[in-house]
Amino acid sequence: MTSTTEQSDGNALEAAQPSPAVPQQPYTIFDKRQKYLIVFIVSIAATFSGFASNIYFPALPTIAADLDVSVELVTLTVTSYLIFQGLAPSFWGPVSDVRGRRVAYVFTFIVFVGACVGLALTPSYAALVVLRCLQSAGSASTIAIGSGAIGDVTTRAERGGFMGVFQAGLLVPVAVGPVIGGAIAGSLGWRAIFWFLTVYGGVFLLALIAFLPETLRSLVANGSVAPQGRRSWFARFPLDVYQKTSRVEWDRDAPPPELPPPKKIDVLGPLRILGSKFATPIIVFLAICYTVWQMSITAMSSLFKDRYGLSELHIGLTFIANGVGCMLGTLVTGKILDADYRRVKAKICASGSDETEEDQSFPIEKARLRLLPVFSLLQCLAILLFGWTIQYPHKVPIAIPIISTFVTGWTAVSTQSVIMTYLIDIFSDCSAAASASLNLARCLFAAGGTSFVMPMINGIGVGWTFTVCAAVMVLALIGPYVQYRYAGKWRMAMEREREKAAAAH
């Protein structure tokens, strides 16, 4: 009897013991150092878009003379590059959102390296235009794919800082690309620029295959799922190494997270995002700011050569200020974005609200878009300073317009960093396509701007050209106002409609 009682008491005691807590699956199994390695790799990949564009600027007058065409015609190769820089990610972004980041990277770099070889051997202006388009189709998508990879492995609370690092990395070519291009073109000839890009691209492609894991959440979830299928070996390596060496605590024996159903490649996805009222106002605003920036740096080579008599090497050195401003701006802005996000989140928690980071009702606009008017107005002032100081080269030292490019680079790229982070926040399930939609608008706008900047300067002068640009930027501030005021309400209304539709079914 006693034994039975003790056994009963023991069973009751055992039942009363709390069961061991089942560790919650983390958002991502990649730890901090692995995240930084992934961001480092995708940032280097993104440098190819900038290098292929900016390394080319100091050599424009030399290429024109060598191919026996005008500088205006060679400048059109910049326009054609920007057009394909806008179009290509609209294909490769959706591919990376479905087939994986690694697959998209490999194919884009194969196209890029092949185009660089052709450019180094190009015999004519027509071939230069065509191959520059092909080169752009290969390099431009690295930014959209990289943005998607960062969206895969980061939460909203830390995304601003990582996007700042990413933007700073991809902007290194803005600072050093023209210097390298000017030095190579001045000593080895302009064709050597493309041989340099061929070697750089080929070596990096091998490094990317060896060290970048697959991060697409529909394939590997939070990184804990090993892709299956006959072609999955490419996605499994080096992901399995990252899984074994991760310092994040997660239940390795638990059933793998359920993957969403396979999606089809939607090449029209970026266009739909671009036409969405949740994105159109802010994307058009960025496209205008980016266009004005590109117009100024496209005109710099010819303006500094004609008005200050600079050589190719010296022209390349004038781009350093712009590039340094870009890198510093995006790093600082990334920290500000994270601080603003924490401030808004803390305010919500203090008010007792039960809104979470991923809720449609979370005021993400307040957490991300607060400083856009400041950046825009500073860019307007810098552009005015650039235009009116170059207007009078005999009265104003060259240092003044160069300093203005530092401010222009800082503010233009800070604006871009803010808006790209915001779009990844609100389109987290198709982040590469969201980045591609942004890229499409800004590059097509910039293609138009760079095509008429030199004729406009020749017609009305440098000062008035960039005064018009500044006025357009001020008008474009309507976009951030609309986004800040109404976008949150639109998202909540859409969410309520979805809930009603789900309840009806």
Side-chain angles (χ1 to χ4, degrees):
M1 181 71 177
T2 304
S3 174
T4 305
T5 304
E6 288 176 354
Q7 183 177 356
S8 175
D9 291 342
N11 291 339
L13 183 62
E14 183 178 351
Q17 294 290 332
S19 59
V22 178
Q24 185 179 4
Q25 286 289 341
Y27 180 79
T28 176
I29 60 102
F30 299 109
D31 59 36
K32 198 83 168 181
R33 64 199 173 93
Q34 291 176 334
K35 288 180 183 179
Y36 272 110
L37 178 58
I38 291 169
V39 172
F40 176 71
I41 294 171
V42 299
S43 297
I44 294 179
T47 64
F48 284 86
S49 181
F51 262 127
S53 176
N54 289 274
I55 202 172
Y56 185 69
F57 287 141
L60 291 178
T62 306
I63 294 172
D66 190 49
L67 297 180
D68 195 24
V69 294
S70 66
V71 173
E72 284 78 12
L73 278 178
V74 175
T75 302
L76 287 178
T77 65
V78 176
T79 302
S80 63
Y81 184 94
L82 286 168
I83 290 173
F84 276 80
Q85 193 176 43
L87 295 175
S90 298
F91 172 73
W92 290 115
V95 168
S96 79
D97 280 339
V98 176
R99 300 298 184 190
R101 312 302 184 194
R102 279 167 58 85
V103 169
Y105 268 132
V106 168
F107 280 103
T108 55
F109 272 101
I110 289 173
V111 171
F112 173 78
V113 171
C116 287
V117 173
L119 282 163
L121 302 172
T122 186
S124 65
Y125 172 74
L128 179 73
V129 173
V130 172
L131 288 169
R132 279 287 284 174
C133 293
L134 188 62
Q135 184 191 41
S136 179
S139 65
S141 303
T142 54
I143 297 175
I145 301 170
S147 300
I150 292 174
D152 294 335
V153 302
T154 60
T155 62
R156 281 183 175 181
E158 63 184 353
R159 191 169 293 146
F162 279 111
M163 285 300 295
V165 173
F166 174 65
Q167 293 276 344
L170 68 88
L171 290 165
V172 168
V174 179
V176 302
V179 180
I180 295 173
I184 292 176
S187 57
L188 301 175
W190 64 269
R191 295 177 187 274
I193 290 174
F194 298 108
W195 286 122
F196 166 78
L197 291 174
T198 300
V199 175
Y200 180 31
V203 171
F204 179 75
L205 174 58
L206 297 177
L208 182 144
I209 292 172
F211 297 110
L212 181 69
E214 182 55 67
T215 62
L216 182 64
R217 298 185 73 85
S218 62
L219 290 182
V220 300
N222 60 356
S224 62
V225 175
Q228 303 297 320
R230 55 190 177 89
R231 287 181 290 184
S232 62
W233 61 270
F234 187 71
R236 283 200 297 267
F237 177 83
L239 178 62
D240 52 356
V241 177
Y242 279 74
Q243 291 171 341
K244 292 174 183 176
T245 57
S246 174
R247 295 174 181 171
V248 173
E249 293 184 4
W250 51 289
D251 188 354
R252 298 170 186 264
D253 298 322
E258 185 177 350
L259 296 176
K263 296 188 294 184
K264 293 182 179 180
I265 297 174
D266 183 11
V267 294
L268 297 180
L271 289 177
R272 273 193 287 272
I273 292 173
L274 184 57
S276 161
K277 62 183 179 182
F278 306 109
T280 300
I282 204 74
I283 288 179
V284 171
F285 165 74
L286 174 64
I288 290 172
C289 294
Y290 181 82
T291 297
V292 173
W293 177 42
Q294 288 296 306
M295 289 170 70
S296 67
I297 62 176
T298 300
M300 274 177 64
S301 298
S302 297
L303 291 174
F304 284 154
K305 180 180 177 65
D306 296 341
R307 303 192 178 217
Y308 290 97
L310 300 187
S311 66
E312 289 169 332
L313 177 59
H314 290 149
I315 290 172
L317 292 174
T318 64
F319 282 83
I320 292 178
N322 179 68
V324 172
C326 291
M327 289 187 289
L328 290 177
T330 190
L331 285 172
V332 173
T333 302
K335 299 298 182 183
I336 293 174
L337 282 172
D338 282 350
D340 273 359
Y341 191 90
R342 288 192 296 268
R343 177 182 57 82
V344 172
K345 186 178 178 183
K347 189 175 180 180
I348 290 173
C349 292
S351 68
S353 172
D354 59 354
E355 293 173 10
T356 65
E357 294 180 13
E358 305 302 327
D359 280 345
Q360 296 294 341
S361 56
F362 186 87
I364 193 65
E365 286 75 23
K366 292 182 179 179
R368 297 299 194 208
L369 306 182
R370 180 175 62 93
L371 292 178
L372 283 184
V374 177
F375 293 143
S376 180
L377 293 175
L378 286 175
Q379 185 180 348
C380 288
L381 293 175
I383 283 294
L384 288 171
L385 183 63
F386 175 81
W388 286 107
T389 52
I390 292 184
Q391 180 81 19
Y392 305 102
H394 301 297
K395 297 181 180 179
V396 181
I398 194 173
I400 303 299
I402 289 176
I403 291 172
S404 74
T405 66
F406 172 86
V407 180
T408 302
W410 181 302
T411 52
V413 171
S414 294
T415 299
Q416 182 171 298
S417 181
V418 167
I419 294 174
M420 187 174 290
T421 304
Y422 169 73
L423 288 177
I424 291 174
D425 285 341
I426 63 174
F427 296 104
S428 57
D429 59 336
C430 52
S431 50
S435 179
S437 69
L438 177 67
N439 196 70
L440 175 64
R442 70 187 177 99
C443 289
L444 292 182
F445 273 57
T450 55
S451 69
F452 64 72
V453 63
M454 291 308 297
M456 192 173 177
I457 287 172
N458 294 334
I460 64 174
V462 187
W464 283 113
T465 294
F466 288 105
T467 299
V468 171
C469 291
V472 173
M473 283 186 61
V474 172
L475 290 175
L477 281 169
I478 296 172
Y481 172 78
V482 170
Q483 200 81 28
Y484 193 89
R485 183 80 181 268
Y486 299 108
K489 297 177 183 177
W490 291 337
R491 283 202 315 279
M492 286 188 286
M494 183 185 70
E495 188 65 19
R496 286 193 294 269
E497 290 177 4
R498 284 180 179 173
E499 290 174 356
K500 288 179 182 178
H505 289 291

